[in-house]
Amino acid sequence: MNIAIFSAVVLATLILTNIIAFLGRGKNTFLTYSFDPNSHITLRIALSMIGSIVGGGMFFGVGQIGFEAGITGYMIGISSLVGLFIAGTLSPQFRKAMQEEGVNNLIDLIERKFSARVAVAFSLVNGIIVFFFLAAQFLALYRFATFVSFDMGYGWIPWMLVFVVFVTLLFYPIIGGLRKDITSDCVQVTLIACMAIYFVFLFCSEKTFYTMWATLPVKHLTGAGYGVVFLIGVAFLYPAIFLVRMDVWQRIGAASDDRAATSAMKVAGVGSLLFYILFTSLGMWAYSTGITDAQNATLNIIAKVSSNPLIFGLVIGSLFAAVLSTADTNINNASLFFTRLLFPEQWRVALAKENTSNHTLLLKSRLLGLFLTFLSAGLAWESQDLVELMVGAFSLLLIFFPTVLGLLYPPWKSEKGAFFGVVLGVLCFLISFFTWNRKMAFLPGIAISALVYYVMCFFGQRTVCCKPQPERKAEMNYLISE
Amino acid sequence: MLKTPPITPSSRSIDNGQAGSILNIQYSVFLGVILNYCFRVDTVSTPTVRLLIDIINKPEALFFIFYFLLDWFTANIIQEMHLSKPSMLLVRIIWITLLGTLVISLNGDGLWKFLLISFYLIVSGLYDFGLMSKLFAGGEVGTQAVLGFLLSGVRLVLGLVFLVPTVFVVTGRSDVALEWDNPNSPFDLLFIISGLYLLLKIGRFKYLSSIAEARR
């Protein structure tokens, strides 16, 4: 009986998500599928941004951080708050820059500001990062199914539910694109918020939070549970990541106006901080109650305190909503990055004019999304270590480090070095990841990237920018007229 | 017979240059107070100057003396660029007083200094955000703007990190706050974060100087 109630509640949340995602389906063009510019109000953008941050990987990963290192998870939340505040403050300038260059996304802006090759390198690295994040979402689902099936004795039911989630992911993000992604994020974040309110209620009742606070060891409360270097790394690097995230730029561009973009990013910053605090606290609570399994700390504590199948069903339904809200963004972004890499000319034509319905490119992009979804599910099944995937994704960003340094210090700027350094660094990372040590694979990747960059910078010709503007505009006119 | 000139609204308010002079006086007065707390001159037998700061156990106090000096230099740049209104003079004077008190309190053992630090650093970080918004309002998004905002952002994050020991001091778990101020611990966060904050202040000073130079 309990299993039936639990399954019914979880299925109901999934069906609700799908119904809302497909309500009012309008005409879908490649533009609405990919960037949907100037179309959404503040609240929708804010909820969507929170949804793409709060995911299944975060559910487990941040809970694990809370369990192992205590309030270090709060620090990540603070950094994300500041990062989104910066993105919000700069969003009018971001929108203006896109408008002035006649583009509606970050990749094309990079191409205009730097060169086509740097845009290719950017798409390649980010495509792989998003792909790894997507795999982390599938791994969260796998973890959930294993735990509920074996540890809680729910049999095959959790696997069936995970299958339903997977099928859902093959539908609305791939068919509806960004527009449906943003719409469905609203209901998903509402569900997650309901779960959050339930846990806040639990924390407040019977002095749970106070007891946890009083009993946790000092190591969990200083913020340096993973060491000082980790804490400083979070403070210095994490806010900057939000300025180069495609999903952030997508939502800034999709906001109805500058004010909506600014407010939405700031609201999202506050929202994401609250979720970081919540998941970290759950991990800390699990630790203080004597649970020993760090990886499933969040699920363990949920199972321990939610004996009612209705409540447990709602909580797990919210976990699925969290997975869906991040995975749909990752599927959309991964398909776009690889579409840009494989079909750059069609991409330019499709996005150059509004109301252009490029069905061929839309179909190709959807097929790519489908293919990448299956591939990342395979990677999750093969890897089975959430930390490996997260470390892989974040460390790849460091491959851009020499390029960023070159931007800040013009004598070190090398467009060729940036392109070849990034491409060879990524290749080296992928080879090391699949054949050597997965947690250390980023080291040779970064070393090769830096070496190639500085060798080419030293020996090659230092260039400032790509093609001159008139030449670029002529090329665009030619493509549009075609 | 001498006539007193009529008082007009313009003569009652102070201009940018006068505001700068008042700020400089305030900084120099507080520097004197700080130095008085840091050094003692003995003239009983042989004249010697003794450093009163415990550099081994409380190097952060020394960091913040340098910080105070850099704050003085930076305040002059901000004044020169007309980024601060003379009407805000009183608030800035209170702020300098707070910073001076903070520098002095860092040499003590009391844990309430964390409350002072977190308040100062958080408000400074927010002020920095406002300053950057003024500097780059409506302008093109370039490396300089992004760098400026990131600098402010990291300063704000470090300020917010100081809320941790403050919360524990307020809620009665002073063992956590003591761990923050423990020179024998590998996590002597007060020392490490103060050092980083000083480095960021140097970076901010260089950054604002380069912008002021470019605008001259």
Side-chain angles (χ1 to χ4, degrees), chain A residues 157-395:
Chain A
I157 297 279
W159 294 100
M160 186 269 292
L161 292 172
V162 166
F163 178 74
V164 176
V165 174
F166 185 72
V167 172
T168 305
L169 278 174
L170 295 179
F171 273 98
Y172 82 86
I174 288 169
I175 296 171
L178 183 68
R179 185 169 284 183
K180 297 300 158 194
D181 187 356
I182 291 175
T183 312
S184 60
D185 279 347
C186 296
V187 67
Q188 287 154 357
V189 173
T190 310
L191 277 171
I192 306 166
C194 290
M195 180 198 67
I197 291 167
Y198 169 66
F199 280 110
V200 170
F201 170 73
L202 280 184
F203 273 123
C204 295
S205 62
E206 295 167 18
K207 294 185 174 178
T208 310
F209 203 80
Y210 178 78
T211 317
M212 180 187 91
W213 214 238
T215 53
L216 278 169
V218 171
K219 175 181 85 83
H220 273 65
L221 300 175
T222 55
Y226 282 146
V228 178
V229 176
F230 184 88
L231 182 66
I232 292 164
V234 165
F236 276 75
L237 299 177
Y238 202 59
I241 285 174
F242 287 92
L243 300 183
V244 286
R245 274 176 67 153
M246 174 79 147
D247 53 347
V248 173
W249 278 76
Q250 258 182 328
R251 277 149 187 82
I252 285 173
S256 52
D257 52 43
D258 289 359
R259 228 173 127 185
T262 306
S263 321
M265 288 300 135
K266 290 179 178 175
V267 172
V270 176
S272 66
L273 170 67
L274 294 177
F275 280 108
Y276 269 105
I277 290 175
L278 176 73
F279 292 136
T280 309
S281 303
L282 280 174
M284 283 160 43
W285 187 11
Y287 185 87
S288 69
T289 56
I291 289 168
T292 50
D293 180 9
Q295 287 198 338
N296 293 319
T298 326
L299 267 183
N300 262 308
I301 194 73
I302 289 171
K304 203 170 176 175
V305 297
S306 313
S307 49
N308 185 329
L310 188 75
I311 302 272
F312 189 58
L314 275 174
V315 172
I316 297 303
S318 311
L319 161 68
F320 283 170
V323 170
L324 284 171
S325 67
T326 305
D328 56 11
T329 306
N330 290 340
I331 291 172
N332 180 266
N333 283 5
S335 77
L336 290 178
F337 279 124
F338 284 99
T339 306
R340 178 65 174 72
L341 270 176
L342 299 173
F343 314 107
E345 299 306 320
Q346 286 182 48
W347 169 284
R348 283 191 196 108
V349 175
L351 294 180
K353 266 187 178 177
E354 261 183 61
N355 306 322
T356 307
S357 51
N358 194 319
H359 290 298
T360 324
L361 189 66
L362 192 58
L363 184 68
K364 282 176 183 171
S365 199
R366 283 171 172 165
L367 287 174
L368 268 174
L370 209 60
F371 172 69
L372 290 166
T373 307
F374 275 107
L375 204 63
S376 63
L379 176 66
W381 187 265
E382 200 268 333
S383 167
Q384 300 197 4
D385 187 340
L386 200 68
V387 179
E388 269 180 8
L389 294 172
M390 300 300 252
V391 168
F394 276 113
S395 57

Side-chain angles (χ1 to χ4, degrees), chain B residues 177-211:
Chain B
L178 280 170
E179 188 68 13
W180 264 66
D181 194 13
N182 180 5
N184 300 318
S185 158
F187 308 131
D188 184 5
L189 285 165
L190 182 60
F191 160 69
I192 294 166
I193 297 180
S194 305
L196 283 172
Y197 209 78
L198 177 65
L199 287 177
L200 285 171
K201 187 77 178 174
I202 296 169
R204 184 170 174 265
F205 170 68
K206 295 270 291 172
Y207 174 81
L208 286 173
S209 320
S210 67
I211 290 179

Side-chain angles (χ1 to χ4, degrees), chain A residues 71 75 78-79 81-82 85-86 89-90 93-94 96-97 100 113 213-218 221-224 227-228 231-232 235-236 239-240 243 407-408, chain B residues 129 133 136-141 143 145-147 149-150 153-154 156-158 160-161 164 167-168 171 173 175-176 179-180 186-187 189 192-193 196 200:
Chain A
I71 60 162
M75 305 301 177
I78 289 172
S79 294
L81 167 80
V82 171
F85 254 72
I86 297 173
T89 313
L90 285 173
Q93 275 113 316
F94 288 165
K96 191 179 165 193
E100 280 174 0
K113 292 275 183 188
W213 214 238
T215 53
L216 278 169
V218 171
L221 300 175
T222 55
V228 178
L231 182 66
I232 292 164
F236 276 75
L243 300 183
L407 287 177
L408 298 177
Chain B
F129 250 90
S133 304
F136 300 105
E140 196 192 330
V141 56
T143 317
V146 172
L147 192 66
F149 274 104
L150 282 178
V154 176
L156 185 59
V157 171
L158 291 183
L160 288 166
V161 166
V164 174
V167 167
F168 287 110
T171 54
R173 281 210 61 177
D175 53 334
V176 181
E179 188 68 13
W180 264 66
F187 308 131
L189 285 165
I192 294 166
I193 297 180
L196 283 172
L200 285 171

Side-chain angles (χ1 to χ4, degrees), chain B:
Chain B
M1 190 180 164
L2 279 170
K3 272 189 182 172
T4 338
I7 298 170
T8 57
S10 60
S11 65
R12 260 185 281 164
S13 60
I14 53 167
D15 64 18
N16 204 45
Q18 285 170 317
S21 309
I22 295 170
L23 280 180
N24 282 332
I25 292 168
Q26 175 79 359
Y27 270 109
S28 55
V29 166
F30 247 97
L31 188 66
V33 175
I34 290 166
L35 293 179
N36 190 43
Y37 268 89
C38 299
F39 300 98
R40 179 169 294 159
V41 184
D42 279 332
T43 50
V44 181
S45 50
T46 48
T48 48
V49 177
R50 251 187 333 127
L51 182 65
L52 298 179
I53 296 176
D54 183 0
I55 295 183
I56 306 293
N57 293 319
K58 296 192 190 312
E60 54 275 0
L62 197 65
F63 289 164
F64 266 82
I65 293 174
F66 287 117
Y67 180 94
F68 186 88
L69 282 172
L70 280 166
D71 198 65
W72 188 354
F73 301 152
T74 316
N76 276 302
I77 295 173
I78 291 170
Q79 202 67 33
E80 187 194 312
M81 286 199 286
H82 296 269
L83 288 170
S84 182
K85 287 178 190 163
S87 57
M88 294 295 286
L89 186 64
L90 183 64
V91 178
R92 296 185 72 192
I93 286 173
I94 294 169
W95 206 238
I96 297 164
T97 313
L98 184 76
L99 177 60
T101 316
L102 167 66
V103 177
I104 292 163
S105 75
L106 277 173
N107 200 26
D109 288 323
L111 290 176
W112 287 95
K113 64 187 168 192
F114 285 113
L115 186 66
L116 208 59
I117 299 176
S118 60
F119 177 71
Y120 176 83
L121 299 191
I122 291 168
V123 179
S124 296
L126 291 172
Y127 168 77
D128 244 21
F129 250 90
L131 195 73
M132 292 303 150
S133 304
K134 263 188 206 171
L135 263 175
F136 300 105
E140 196 192 330
V141 56
T143 317
Q144 213 173 32
V146 172
L147 192 66
F149 274 104
L150 282 178
L151 207 59
S152 312
V154 176
R155 271 162 62 89
L156 185 59
V157 171
L158 291 183
L160 288 166
V161 166
F162 268 103
L163 271 178
V164 174
T166 312
V167 167
F168 287 110
V169 170
V170 174
T171 54
R173 281 210 61 177
S174 48
D175 53 334
V176 181
L178 280 170
E179 188 68 13
W180 264 66
D181 194 13
N182 180 5
N184 300 318
S185 158
F187 308 131
D188 184 5
L189 285 165
L190 182 60
F191 160 69
I192 294 166
I193 297 180
S194 305
L196 283 172
Y197 209 78
L198 177 65
L199 287 177
L200 285 171
K201 187 77 178 174
I202 296 169
R204 184 170 174 265
F205 170 68
K206 295 270 291 172
Y207 174 81
L208 286 173
S209 320
S210 67
I211 290 179
E213 190 66 37
R215 287 190 176 189
R216 261 176 218 141

